[in-house]
Amino acid sequence: MACREVEIAERQTKESERSLKNKHHSGKHAPEKTKKEQGLPSKEELRQFIHDSLNPPDKREIARHFGIKGQDRTKLRILLRELSEEGGVEKNPTKTYKAPQNLPETALIEITGLDGDGELRAKPVEWHGRGPEPIIYVMYKRREEGEEAKPGDRMLARLKKVDKHEYEARVLKPIEVEEFGRVIGTFRPYKGAGHVHPTNKKDRNEYYIPPEYVNGAEEGDLVAAELIPPSQKHPRSKNPARIVTRLGKNGDPRIISLISIHSHGIPTEFSKGSLSEAAKMKEPDLSGGREDLRQIPLVTIDGADARDFDDAVFAEPDTDPKNPGGWHLMVAIADVSFYVQPHTALDKDAYDRGNSTYFADRVVPMLPERLSNDLCSLRPHVNRACLAVHLWIDSNARLKHWQFTRGLMRSVARLTYEQVEQAHLGTPDETTAPLMDKVIRPLYRAYSLLKHARELRGALELDLPERKAIIDAAGNLTAIVPRERLASHQLIEEFMILANVAAAQALEAKNAPCVYRVHDRPAYDRLESTRDFLKEFGYSLPKSDQLSSKNFNHILKLSAEREDKQLIHTILLRTQSQAIYSPNNLGHFGLALEKYAHFTSPIRRYADLLVHRSLVRAYGLGDGPLTDHETQYLVEISEHISSTERRSMLAERDVMDRFTAQYLSSNIGKEFKGHIASVTRFGLFVSLDETGADGIVPMRSLPRDYYIHDEKRHALVGKDSGRSYRLADPVLVRLVEADAMRGSTVFEILDGFTGQDAPGFLKRGGVGEQGQRSRRGHGGGGRSQGKHRGKRGRGKRR
């Protein structure tokens, strides 16, 4: 790809880094004034003028403003150079100057979504300035009809400052290489030089590595390469780059997750300061007002492969005669805010990560192992600091009152979901048998009340099947199985939800800052589209913008025994908004809760750590409270951790796709049953029933016809034959391609499957009224898929 704009932004990034380094070494004192000569401004006057300018001025504009003429222009150039070296201003490649807290004229931006007025908003990918992160309003002309800018998309843009913290962006080009000018791929040597083949399936380029930039890479190595401008030495080389680092060796099964980690820019190394702070940490005693909870038989219940245990639970009948049939529950959470305090290296690293990221073969933790797997992990039979909440519910599971306390606990057992479930079903083992009467049976009795309350309030009952990759000791994938959903999973989930509700209520009771976990109601336009679609199948949604989750549950229940169950479920799932973090409470539509925050996993989520800090401050619980600075920038912090959560989600999904492709790669040519998971203008995405693997069926592999993409009815319809391929239709496919390195899986629908009858709109209104014209299918079979693999975007995920 042409990389001129990338080069410009790269240089700006490097200049910004140099400037920040200079500023760090020079301290925060005001720049020294030079001897002010006739007509020559001081450095402070220069800096202030550049700072106040809406658009970066060049030397001529600065000279005109200060009335500098003749030989003084040379002195001005020297002043500007010194000021730039001291970090007072930054010089752009266009020879204009800007204040360090301003954005460059050309920068890489990331789309964040739409604001309340429907305008496209973005944030800078690199922001080192002081104060709030700038808001960028994006003017984006779509290259093709149907193409939309989505949250997470990165673009090179020309910026114009329109207000103190606001910019207007004109998009120069979308950027599809990872990490801004950096490519992750496999190296192939060639006559002393070589080529890098990207692992990004959207990137169809091949990158030439000159001999001097091979950097010791060998055949098949996973590398990170950086784009470089063409040189006189290699004037005709296409897409020249240099290898920055070797990430993994060919043949290493763990290379699959490494691809995703580096492609999505997930930090993997902790700073020396962070590791040093963690190494000095010790478990606390009862000093400082901690409550002694060591006599309470708290247990942790986690997955068999879990290494960090951040929550423990307990339940007993409430002995208060005023609460007949009520229960006293406890949820104890690792006291991360005691160890990770604001303005520390640990806190900075945790903030940068935003959350832990979980792959099938590894975890990229938010905190160093000394904390995540030791001091902040509620391991059995050892003292551990915790922030616990006592919860009292009535016989209908209504939360009557709560009390947060900092304590010292001692877990009596580390249990697994399967272990607890088997004990509950009547087959306890040597660990669970002694805990049945005092721990396990009371937990399930309390859970039965919480479950009933969930059903009454109408929490959304969408089924979200998950896949689990089974990895052996050598790191090889051995199987892909559905993730089991047991009553013990739901028990822990309901206890955690109750604790999260209590945290939100506790902070509101003190009028304290809170990072809510908000799940907004579905957008009006989505509801209207869904309502029209459901009507064709005999379902109805009330015509109200105040729909509750109960309305959706009613349709899910009606469809449970019908053939269109899969289709209706998928449509209702895609109607939902995305849950995010915000200091503004919008409620949680999916859980049918008015107040909700994340409190129960501060080891792996920065949002929970913020909630802990706010509780500590609001209730005077000791060290590590929320700071005034965090309170002031809670909006920006919430946006950041929402974006890191999306980053991890995409990376985890990406790894699962690659593992699935690896698993299927030995089955090329075999047939599989599946269903259509997504319909696009360029083809279909199919999900296999057995493994949940997703892959594309390119348009050209469909039987020859002219296909219309009917977006409202989620179908591809053949204009000539009337054949249709609709969302959730069952299909029989043949595997054509499975590339683990690129995470690409390609299918073709077998000739025996001819699609469904065409929707009536073709007969009623013609192709132009309801759909978009799409490419002709050619019936070309599997050999032609590879040509279009690089152009496809990702389908919507289930």
Side-chain angles (χ1 to χ4, degrees), residues 492-542:
I492 291 299
E493 181 179 305
E494 291 303 321
F495 271 65
M496 297 304 111
I497 288 173
L498 187 65
N500 288 337
V501 169
Q505 291 184 2
L507 291 175
E508 284 201 7
K510 290 284 189 177
N511 198 28
C514 180
V515 175
Y516 295 94
R517 179 63 168 181
V518 299
H519 181 223
D520 204 358
R521 298 174 181 276
Y524 178 79
D525 56 342
R526 286 188 183 180
L527 277 176
E528 290 300 302
S529 176
T530 299
R531 183 180 291 110
D532 293 341
F533 181 83
L534 292 173
K535 189 175 181 180
E536 294 190 7
F537 292 86
Y539 302 98
S540 63
L541 276 175

Side-chain angles (χ1 to χ4, degrees), residues 301-309 358-363 373 377 414-419 467-471 483 489:
I301 306 176
D302 294 276
D305 56 352
R307 296 177 63 193
D308 53 349
F309 317 123
Y358 293 83
F359 302 117
D361 61 342
R362 74 177 78 208
V363 176
N373 293 345
S377 186
R414 178 270 197 263
L415 306 177
T416 68
Y417 292 114
E418 294 78 12
Q419 204 177 10
R467 296 172 284 160
K468 181 180 180 180
I470 307 299
I471 308 294
R483 194 177 291 275
H489 289 100

Side-chain angles (χ1 to χ4, degrees), residues 112 122-127 130-135 165 633 636 639:
T112 57
K123 65 178 183 179
V125 171
E126 293 287 339
W127 170 242
R130 298 182 295 274
E133 187 175 70
I135 298 171
H165 299 298
Y633 293 111
E636 291 79 10
E639 290 177 351

